[in-house]
């Protein structure tokens, strides 16, 4: 079996995150937060493992990482993984619950959504067509979280785009509301 190397691409938009040089050592406060958070989640990590996780998160602002760790302490049970921390970083993308609430209920509705929401809606569309809202929500959540984590690993900034529904009269209010937010 061929051994694969992990590679984290360089950031593409320095306006989105507080980027630091990869050579810079991770902040001790972030490393300590990872150690404590991991213990609270139920699976202690060594200081060396926490330091490696902190280095992987080095492109993100320390405050954003510590806030993500605080959310992980409340929501993650068991082994604290890089994907858990990335899933909880606030980078302007809505949570899965918020994203689901913004989803259009029909082709008539105009929506302003992220690329990840658009991807996840495709995973849910089959179930929506069948009228199975529970399966649609589960498929959406799974696809959305995977897409968000993948975007954060690539360091892609959030991109909001409109999807114009067939109801022309409601477009203006939806677009105006999105601009205000």
């Amino acid at each position: 079996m061929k051994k694969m190397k992990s590679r984290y691409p360089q950031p593409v938009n320095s306006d989105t995150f507080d980027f630091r040089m990869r050579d810079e050592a991770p902040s001790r406060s972030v490393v300590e937060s990872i150690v404590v958070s991991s213990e609270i989640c139920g699976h202690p990590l060594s200081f060396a493992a926490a330091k490696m996780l902190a280095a992987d998160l080095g492109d993100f602002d320390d405050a954003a990482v510590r806030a993500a760790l605080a959310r992980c302490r409340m929501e993650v049970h068991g082994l604290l993984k890089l994907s858990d921390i990335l899933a909880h970083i606030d980078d302007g993308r809505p949570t899965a619950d918020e994203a689901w609430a913004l989803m259009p209920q029909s082709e008539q509705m105009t929506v302003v959504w992220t690329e990840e929401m658009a991807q996840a809606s495709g995973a849910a569309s089959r179930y929506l067509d069948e009228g199975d809202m529970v399966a649609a929500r589960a498929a959406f959540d799974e696809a959305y979280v995977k897409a968000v984590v993948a975007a954060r690993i690539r360091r892609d900034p959030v991109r909001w785009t409109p999807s114009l529904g067939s109801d022309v009269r409601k477009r203006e209010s939806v677009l105006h509301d999105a601009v205000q937010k």
Side-chain angles (χ1 to χ4, degrees), residues 36-164:
V36 171
S37 296
S38 182
E39 184 176 341
I40 290 170
C41 290
H43 194 278
L45 283 180
S46 68
F47 191 79
K51 189 173 179 181
M52 184 174 283
L53 276 178
D56 288 343
L57 295 164
D59 289 339
F60 296 97
D61 178 63
D62 286 356
V65 173
R66 284 194 298 274
L69 289 167
R71 291 181 56 206
C72 287
R73 289 191 295 271
M74 292 183 277
E75 299 172 17
V76 175
H77 305 287
L79 180 63
L80 179 64
K81 301 178 297 291
L82 178 62
S83 60
D84 295 322
I85 301 167
L86 286 171
H88 289 89
I89 285 182
D90 183 4
D91 63 352
R93 288 176 175 86
T95 66
D97 290 338
E98 293 166 339
W100 177 254
L102 293 171
M103 292 301 301
Q105 301 302 310
S106 72
E107 293 289 326
Q108 292 180 326
M109 294 178 66
T110 293
V111 65
V112 177
W113 58 5
T114 66
E115 293 173 7
E116 297 80 21
M117 290 169 65
Q119 290 173 18
S121 74
S125 65
R126 181 182 89 185
Y127 300 107
L128 288 171
D129 292 343
E130 296 170 0
D132 188 348
M133 294 301 285
V134 173
R137 175 67 190 265
F140 177 87
D141 284 355
E142 181 180 349
Y144 181 74
V145 169
K146 283 182 182 178
V148 166
V149 169
R152 288 177 180 155
I153 287 172
R154 291 189 310 270
R155 308 307 195 251
D156 289 346
V158 63
R159 289 183 187 91
W160 291 87
T161 57
S163 175
L164 302 177

Side-chain angles (χ1 to χ4, degrees), residues 20-26 55:
R20 291 176 282 177
M21 298 301 294
R22 295 295 271 171
D23 296 338
E24 188 176 316

